[in-house]
Amino acid sequence: MNEIKCECGHVNPHGTILCESCGRVLEEKEKEKQLVDMRYEGSARRSQTYNKTIIDKIWNFFSSVKVGVWLIIILLVASSLGTIFPQEMYIPPLMPAGEYYQEQYGWLGKLYYDLGFHNLYSSWWYLLLIAALGISLIIASLDRVVPLYRSLTNQRVSRHESFLKRQRMFSVSNADLSGETVDKIKNLLTQKRYKIREENGNILAEKNRFSRWGPYVNHLGLVIFLLGGMLRFVPGMYVDEILWLREGETKAIPGTEGQYYLKNNAFIFEVYDKEKDDEVFQNAIDKVGTVVKNYQTDATLYKKQGDTVPGEKPELEKVRDQSIQVNKPLKIDGFALYQVDYKLDEMNKMAFKLENKKTGDQFGDVAVDLYDPEMNYDLGNGYKVEVMSYFPDFEFNEDGEPATKSRIPNNPAFIFKMFTPDKPEGEISFVAIRQTIEPMGDNDYKMIFNGVETKNVTALTVRKDLTLWLIGLGGLIFMIGVVQGAYWNHRRLWIRRVDSQIWTAAHTNKNWHGLKRELDTIFADSGIKAPEDQLSDDKKE
Amino acid sequence: MVELSSNFLFTAFILYLVGILFFGGAIKDKRHADKKDSPNKWAKIGIVVTIAGFLSQLTFFVLRWIASGHAPVSNLFEFTTFFGMALVGAFIALYFMYKTPLLGLFTLPVAALIIAYGSMFPRDVTPLIPALQSYWLHIHVTTTAIGQAILAVSFAAGLIYLVKSVDQTKKSKSTLWLEVVLFGLISTLGFVFVSSFFAATDYQANFNYVNKEGQPATEKYTIPAVVGPHQFELTDKDRFEPLIETPAIISAKKLNTVIWSLASGIVLYVLLRAILRKRIAAALKPWTKNINLDLVDEIGYRSVLIGFPVFTLGGLIFAMIWAQIAWTRFWGWDPKEVWALITWLFYAAFLHLRLSKGWHGEKSAWLAVIGFIIIMFNLVAVNLVIAGLHSYAGS
């Protein structure tokens, strides 16, 4: 590769604009400018140097800040589109999504659905945008951080005159630098935490160089964060299950491969009470009506002992009791169980009596477990009831026949066969809530409803997310980087003897106002002019 | 105790208004027009009064916290007033860095306006729903508000920059948009006036209507209904009969409030124009005569630099940690989350444009204004219009 040898003797990589060592302007075009462009120290960036092969072109595309900003803006606008109407995951699952959007929001809703905006954030093009931004983060950072590092490491104390006078902050003083003055300035600079280097009586004072790495550190953090996001697609990294549990019920926790079981001892639902709760809440409760205070599942966690064959009842060992509330998940072995939903007073058992219609005599109790009904109930003395069919969530289907919508006993219905001493072949009766049908003609007996037992049901989300540590690490690195870059400024001051004059120049990557104030205090009463802003005169009124 | 705390809020509000007068005086005071750095007597009193106001509001915050048992940032009134306080706090910090009374003249009215706006919402102490019962409530919400407030200082700085730099001798896009921004502030003031007036007169109008599910429902208006809800029927006597009926999917009450705000904003704006006989920005311009544009630009940039990390920490990182605990996942594309991301992306773009494309000065000032509009959109529209998991903040 053709390197550039500067007059000062330093060998710079091809494409360098300002000599890494002395700061001489190497590029012809730069020489005409009043001020040198100090971004990235005039170092040789790959993207500014090569543009021949396809790789060069891709590299140059993604290393451009302009492209990066456009990606950010497009992502920003795209993200906002997804908030016009709710995303599919937030709509009630009562009907097909397409119908829902049309019904709720008219033709706009339909268009929204047809364009796929109801699942915008998982659409291929949205993910592609994020991927492009990720690539841009990597390439743009590499393109800059490597040459910048070279430049800042190779810089020497005595910078060339052409470099100094083309700094934004620059001054020339016709004065001599006495040893006393030098000591005083150096002292002040040290107090302000500058690191001082000297060479032939010239001075370079520099501080907070590390803040120049801030942007690259935070970009690295973002890249790690995005990698963490991608990691979710690796099998086994992420579990998202739901566990519905009735009071008194014990079930295996999904996702744990039957290792852990959970028992719901009780589900508690509380609202704020005007009488009992803090007086200050009274007005608010009066206005709103009810405000929920607590959703809580009192649970017992069990661990399975030894190996079991499928179907065999596992032997469980209690691990601990815990109340699961919103904001207080139960955690075990990388899994967390969150309180997310509930159903109060779900029917659990239904009780009936067998009654002789004429005499009103009643025989026995039939208590049907709606989740696991027994088929035969012997009431003694020759009275017997058989459950011929059970429909937990009863409806008449399209053919007009009884059917069930789900396994949940929302609307239980039964076909009973009643055996009595006077009707030994049995009578058939169809019993649903508030209706009885006798399909085979009038019966002598009927099943009468004798109460229902209800239970609360809790829903817990079972979550395992092995990507969290990487996401968290990315976030942490990002924060470190962004604070590093934002809360400190890289400042440099050059003092150089040129013949009988003293030249001073200064540079900062941001917060020029702060630099000016600092320099003013350092050079006050020294007989040397502090570097002055060469840009500011024409802007002041 | 809640009532006592409210007195402190009111005192703070009055002190901010007094502070504005002193900062105004600091700029008009010709005796110290030598432009040397040290602030004059007016400015010194101004900042003392502002700090007193800040402390008074802080007392309100602490007392209300003690009274309610949770950090008072759990509903729109509490959050908005806290945001106003954070804005004053951010201004005080930047004042001591740059010693510019003009920044007070622009920031304090915005802060006072935000506090007044927040006070129009129900001020009752609300009990916390289960999702909010966590110490992350105060960590996440306050950090976010402080971050947004520091970012909002760049809006004030941007406004100063634009008022000074936009050429008012001829009509241009810049003069138009600057008036639009100022009109937005004036409309907020209009909203405050209208709400306060009808609250003072205890106006109430009840309606029966048919909601979007086709069910009968009721709605209580506290300002006269220009637009009524779907198939409305006014149930109170002697109340203003709505002129227009809205379709069911539009929230008529909110639309009505927006119409009133804009209408009162137009009245105020026209009135001001008639009195001033020039654009509002042109009338403000002389106040900015002595300020150095570079300095204002720097203040704006600095506040973005300081505010961006704070906002990231509160609005995204703390938000994600809490979301993982309360909602089982750290990110769920809830509208408020998305708009926090949009705010963050916007300021990221701002910083890149500034660092690498050299967008300083006027361009940068416009970006600061847009950034503030996004923050306000997230505060106002996302809470009140786009319902989501965060929408309890509106009740």
Side-chain angles (χ1 to χ4, degrees):
Chain A
M1 237 182 295
N2 42 351
E3 290 156 331
I4 310 168
K5 191 165 180 187
C6 176
E7 287 170 53
C8 73
H10 184 77
V11 179
N12 293 287
H14 178 53
T16 305
I17 299 158
L18 302 175
C19 171
E20 292 171 338
S21 176
C22 73
R24 264 194 194 80
V25 182
L26 301 174
E27 184 106 341
E28 282 303 318
K29 270 189 282 175
E30 281 294 311
K31 285 185 182 162
E32 296 147 23
K33 294 187 184 160
Q34 189 212 347
L35 297 181
V36 287
D37 185 354
M38 285 292 284
R39 275 183 298 145
Y40 319 112
E41 303 287 305
S43 59
R45 284 164 53 202
R46 189 190 196 285
S47 63
Q48 308 300 304
T49 315
Y50 304 99
N51 193 16
K52 286 213 181 74
T53 66
I54 182 83
I55 297 195
D56 293 342
K57 300 221 152 108
I58 292 172
W59 181 276
N60 296 353
F61 178 79
F62 281 110
S63 77
S64 149
V65 171
K66 195 169 150 189
V67 169
V69 170
W70 271 113
L71 286 172
I72 292 176
I73 298 293
I74 294 169
L75 197 63
L76 183 161
V77 173
S79 303
S80 71
L81 292 177
T83 62
I84 297 175
F85 299 132
Q87 290 290 295
E88 190 182 11
M89 58 193 154
Y90 290 117
I91 66 171
L94 301 172
M95 57 176 97
E99 286 173 31
Y100 178 85
Y101 284 98
Q102 178 145 27
E103 195 184 291
Q104 290 282 313
Y105 310 108
W107 66 270
L108 267 175
K110 183 165 170 16
L111 183 69
Y112 197 77
Y113 178 80
D114 288 342
L115 288 172
F117 287 2
H118 63 299
N119 266 328
L120 187 139
Y121 305 110
S122 50
S123 66
W124 61 270
W125 59 271
Y126 192 82
L127 296 179
L128 207 64
L129 265 176
I130 293 179
L133 196 62
I135 294 168
S136 163
L137 281 168
I138 296 169
I139 293 182
S141 301
L142 284 178
D143 190 61
R144 290 166 173 79
V145 70
V146 177
L148 181 65
Y149 179 80
R150 267 193 67 120
S151 276
L152 289 175
T153 330
N154 287 329
Q155 64 174 337
R156 61 188 269 197
V157 176
S158 313
R159 285 292 175 121
H160 192 251
E161 290 92 329
S162 66
F163 176 84
L164 294 180
K165 74 174 178 213
R166 285 198 181 91
Q167 291 298 314
R168 180 172 159 184
M169 304 288 290
F170 173 69
S171 77
V172 176
S173 306
N174 288 311
D176 195 30
L177 214 51
S178 69
E180 202 185 327
T181 324
V182 172
D183 285 344
K184 207 178 137 201
I185 289 175
K186 273 164 60 181
N187 207 354
L188 281 168
L189 284 169
T190 322
Q191 272 175 28
K192 301 261 181 200
R193 302 210 183 133
Y194 279 88
K195 287 192 194 79
I196 297 169
R197 283 163 64 195
E198 280 179 279
E199 186 187 87
N200 307 327
N202 303 324
I203 293 174
L204 164 60
E206 182 177 12
K207 75 169 171 188
N208 300 337
R209 190 195 286 183
F210 73 95
S211 92
R212 291 295 283 272
W213 314 126
Y216 311 106
V217 173
N218 81 46
H219 286 179
L220 174 73
L222 287 176
V223 170
I224 293 174
F225 184 93
L226 292 178
L227 286 177
M230 281 163 65
L231 202 61
R232 179 176 296 186
F233 300 106
V234 175
M237 297 306 265
Y238 191 72
V239 170
D240 180 18
E241 302 273 2
I242 192 130
L243 174 62
W244 283 92
L245 215 51
R246 281 175 294 138
E247 286 172 321
E249 194 180 20
T250 307
K251 270 192 196 165
I253 299 174
T256 63
E257 282 156 5
Q259 283 306 299
Y260 290 101
Y261 282 71
L262 197 74
K263 183 180 180 196
N264 175 2
N265 299 314
F267 175 77
I268 299 164
F269 171 85
E270 288 172 291
V271 295
Y272 284 95
D273 189 318
K274 269 203 301 188
E275 315 294 316
K276 285 188 222 140
D277 281 304
D278 209 328
E279 237 176 89
V280 288
F281 298 140
Q282 276 197 11
N283 284 339
I285 297 173
D286 276 340
K287 268 185 207 165
V288 189
T290 46
V291 182
V292 180
K293 188 180 183 181
N294 188 20
Y295 304 110
Q296 176 176 333
T297 305
D298 288 337
T300 307
L301 179 71
Y302 295 98
K303 194 173 181 4
K304 190 181 75 173
Q305 293 300 299
D307 290 326
T308 40
V309 222
E312 190 190 339
K313 211 173 173 205
E315 198 178 308
L316 299 177
E317 192 195 35
K318 179 172 161 181
V319 180
R320 64 172 186 264
D321 289 319
Q322 189 178 333
S323 297
I324 305 172
Q325 289 171 299
V326 180
N327 273 309
K328 286 184 189 118
L330 180 150
K331 288 186 181 164
I332 181 76
D333 230 5
F335 284 89
L337 278 79
Y338 298 87
Q339 181 70 55
V340 287
D341 205 352
Y342 67 97
K343 215 160 125 188
L344 293 180
D345 303 327
E346 191 175 88
M347 283 182 272
N348 185 59
K349 276 189 182 148
M350 226 176 214
F352 299 92
K353 276 182 192 299
L354 177 64
E355 189 184 88
N356 184 317
K357 282 188 189 172
K358 256 181 257 159
T359 62
D361 288 343
Q362 294 183 340
F363 307 94
D365 283 310
V366 176
V368 187
D369 185 336
L370 296 172
Y371 281 89
D372 187 16
E374 281 180 49
M375 287 302 146
N376 290 294
Y377 300 84
D378 193 345
L379 307 175
N381 301 328
Y383 292 92
K384 213 166 66 172
V385 174
E386 182 193 331
V387 177
M388 295 175 71
S389 292
Y390 167 47
F391 309 97
D393 198 357
F394 165 73
E395 63 168 359
F396 282 111
N397 68 11
E398 286 152 7
D399 307 326
E401 284 167 5
T404 188
K405 269 187 278 191
S406 70
R407 308 302 315 159
I408 311 292
N410 291 321
N411 182 23
F414 303 87
I415 298 176
F416 289 115
K417 198 166 188 182
M418 304 165 286
F419 299 95
T420 48
D422 35 324
K423 295 272 178 185
E425 318 82 60
E427 291 176 320
I428 292 174
S429 173
F430 175 85
V431 180
I433 291 172
R434 290 187 192 174
Q435 81 187 103
T436 304
I437 298 166
E438 297 178 347
M440 304 305 195
D442 277 357
N443 292 339
D444 291 347
Y445 290 85
K446 66 174 180 182
M447 297 295 287
I448 63 161
F449 179 69
N450 186 33
V452 64
E453 183 194 300
T454 60
K455 278 188 174 173
N456 297 336
V457 195
T458 187
L460 306 165
T461 285
V462 181
R463 167 87 69 237
K464 183 173 85 168
D465 192 344
L466 295 181
T467 68
L468 287 178
W469 66 274
L470 198 60
I471 301 252
L473 182 71
L476 180 71
I477 293 177
F478 175 81
M479 269 322 291
I480 292 172
V482 79
V483 166
Q484 182 180 347
Y487 292 175
W488 282 273
N489 319 303
H490 178 216
R491 290 176 181 172
R492 272 173 298 173
L493 167 69
W494 295 275
I495 304 175
R496 184 171 173 166
R497 288 167 218 264
V498 180
D499 302 325
S500 63
Q501 291 174 324
I502 303 297
W503 287 22
T504 63
H507 180 260
T508 180
N509 57 340
K510 56 185 173 290
N511 188 7
W512 292 87
H513 182 80
L515 176 68
K516 280 177 215 173
R517 275 193 304 192
E518 192 167 76
L519 292 175
D520 284 343
T521 52
I522 286 166
F523 284 96
D525 313 321
S526 69
I528 301 165
K529 276 191 275 178
E532 283 158 5
D533 193 342
Q534 304 200 65
L535 279 183
S536 75
D537 311 309
D538 42 356
K539 277 199 182 170
K540 255 183 212 160
E541 264 182 33
Chain B
M1 184 127 80
V2 176
E3 263 159 48
L4 176 69
S5 77
S6 301
N7 293 336
F8 279 101
L9 179 64
F10 185 70
T11 310
F13 182 73
I14 299 296
L15 286 171
Y16 297 152
L17 296 183
V18 174
I20 297 170
L21 295 179
F22 277 100
F23 284 124
I27 289 156
K28 283 285 153 175
D29 187 2
K30 294 278 188 313
R31 284 167 297 174
H32 298 275
D34 49 9
K35 282 205 271 182
K36 265 294 144 209
D37 278 349
S38 70
N40 59 30
K41 211 188 277 170
W42 289 84
K44 279 178 189 154
I45 298 172
I47 192 70
V48 168
V49 170
T50 308
I51 292 171
F54 180 79
L55 291 176
S56 178
Q57 197 176 353
L58 202 62
T59 312
F60 152 76
F61 185 77
V62 172
L63 286 180
R64 196 174 165 100
W65 190 328
I66 295 168
S68 66
H70 61 257
V73 284
S74 66
N75 60 31
L76 202 54
F77 161 70
E78 291 174 340
F79 179 80
T80 311
T81 49
F82 181 81
F83 177 58
M85 178 170 82
L87 182 52
V88 174
F91 156 69
I92 293 171
L94 279 150
Y95 179 85
F96 283 106
M97 280 185 216
Y98 294 99
K99 301 271 168 29
T100 44
L102 185 60
L103 191 64
L105 191 62
F106 276 73
T107 314
L108 285 183
V110 174
L113 199 54
I114 286 171
I115 292 168
Y117 170 81
S119 303
M120 298 302 113
F121 293 91
R123 273 169 274 179
D124 303 315
V125 176
T126 39
L128 294 182
I129 60 165
L132 291 181
Q133 295 166 11
S134 166
Y135 57 85
W136 284 103
L137 171 69
H138 46 264
I139 301 177
H140 155 64
V141 182
T142 54
T143 316
T144 309
I146 292 168
Q148 289 181 331
I150 302 170
L151 292 170
V153 173
S154 76
F155 163 71
L159 217 51
I160 296 173
Y161 195 101
L162 293 172
V163 165
K164 185 175 169 96
S165 78
V166 168
D167 181 4
Q168 293 289 351
T169 56
K170 55 178 192 284
K171 247 185 179 171
S172 66
K173 262 189 208 158
S174 299
T175 59
L176 174 71
W177 284 110
L178 195 50
E179 293 300 292
V180 170
V181 170
L182 293 170
F183 172 75
L185 294 174
I186 292 169
S187 291
T188 313
L189 191 64
F191 167 77
V192 171
F193 284 159
V194 168
S195 308
S196 310
F197 176 77
F198 288 110
T201 55
D202 231 355
Y203 186 90
Q204 266 193 27
N206 289 286
F207 289 91
N208 291 329
Y209 74 105
V210 178
N211 70 12
K212 69 177 178 201
E213 280 80 35
Q215 304 295 319
T218 58
E219 184 74 278
K220 186 169 89 184
Y221 279 59
T222 48
I223 52 177
V226 180
V227 290
H230 185 54
Q231 297 181 13
F232 65 83
E233 181 203 342
L234 187 58
T235 50
D236 291 310
K237 274 182 194 148
D238 302 331
R239 293 291 183 228
F240 187 78
E241 190 74 32
L243 305 173
I244 305 162
E245 179 191 320
T246 58
I249 62 159
I250 291 175
S251 167
K253 192 178 165 184
K254 286 168 188 168
L255 180 66
N256 188 55
T257 309
V258 171
I259 290 172
W260 269 99
S261 309
L262 292 179
S264 55
I266 290 170
V267 170
L268 284 172
Y269 182 82
V270 170
L271 217 63
L272 279 171
R273 286 291 292 259
I275 296 167
L276 298 167
R277 307 222 144 267
K278 51 183 142 186
R279 289 186 205 100
I280 313 285
L284 290 171
K285 193 165 180 153
W287 295 84
T288 62
K289 200 174 67 189
N290 287 328
I291 195 83
N292 177 349
L293 275 180
D294 274 347
L295 181 64
V296 180
D297 183 53
E298 173 119 4
I299 294 172
Y301 178 42
R302 197 79 189 282
S303 50
V304 174
L305 270 180
I306 300 173
F308 184 73
V310 179
F311 176 74
T312 309
L313 189 67
L316 293 169
I317 294 187
F318 288 164
M320 284 191 213
I321 296 174
W322 190 15
Q324 180 73 33
I325 296 168
W327 294 331
T328 81
R329 78 291 179 290
F330 60 87
W331 192 260
W333 301 107
D334 171 70
K336 194 95 183 179
E337 291 174 347
V338 175
W339 277 93
L341 175 68
I342 289 172
T343 310
W344 184 80
L345 287 172
F346 180 83
Y347 282 101
F350 175 106
L351 292 171
H352 283 91
L353 285 170
R354 196 164 167 116
L355 282 170
S356 299
K357 305 249 73 122
W359 279 33
H360 294 234
E362 213 166 298
K363 279 178 178 168
S364 171
W366 280 116
L367 289 179
V369 170
I370 296 170
F372 183 71
I373 292 171
I374 294 177
I375 290 176
M376 285 296 112
F377 184 85
N378 202 359
L379 173 61
V380 179
V382 176
N383 277 331
L384 299 179
V385 184
I386 306 175
L389 292 173
H390 278 85
S391 60
Y392 44 70
S395 63

